[in-house]
Amino acid sequence: MLVVGIVSLPGMMTGQILAGADPTQAVRYQIVTMFLICVSSTLGCTISALLIYRRFFNKKDQFILPQ
């Protein structure tokens, strides 16, 4: 997230600034967008890990070999 915010100017923020919007408002929108991307990625990874865990382990936390 640090690289996206500092090294490159993301498209939404640049477009808003070029359109004449307040730069601080454009930065706020960009920060919210980056956090939403980060949260959605975290949730997706967590949910998939939990589903995989339930598929390959039983209630006693023993590994089940797929057949």
Side-chain angles (χ1 to χ4, degrees):
M1 287 176 51
L2 183 67
V3 172
V4 173
I6 292 176
V7 175
S8 66
L9 288 173
M12 184 181 74
M13 184 175 67
T14 304
Q16 285 182 345
I17 291 172
L18 291 176
D22 183 30
T24 56
Q25 191 69 24
V27 170
R28 286 183 188 155
Y29 281 128
Q30 188 63 40
I31 289 171
V32 168
T33 304
M34 291 306 301
F35 279 124
L36 287 175
I37 290 170
C38 182
V39 166
S40 66
S41 175
T42 302
L43 283 176
C45 290
T46 303
I47 290 171
S48 65
L50 287 174
L51 290 174
I52 289 171
Y53 179 79
R54 288 183 184 169
R55 171 87 171 131
F56 289 108
F57 290 91
N58 62 12
K59 294 188 187 273
K60 295 180 182 178
D61 292 330
Q62 296 170 331
F63 181 68
I64 302 170
L65 290 174
Q67 303 206 3

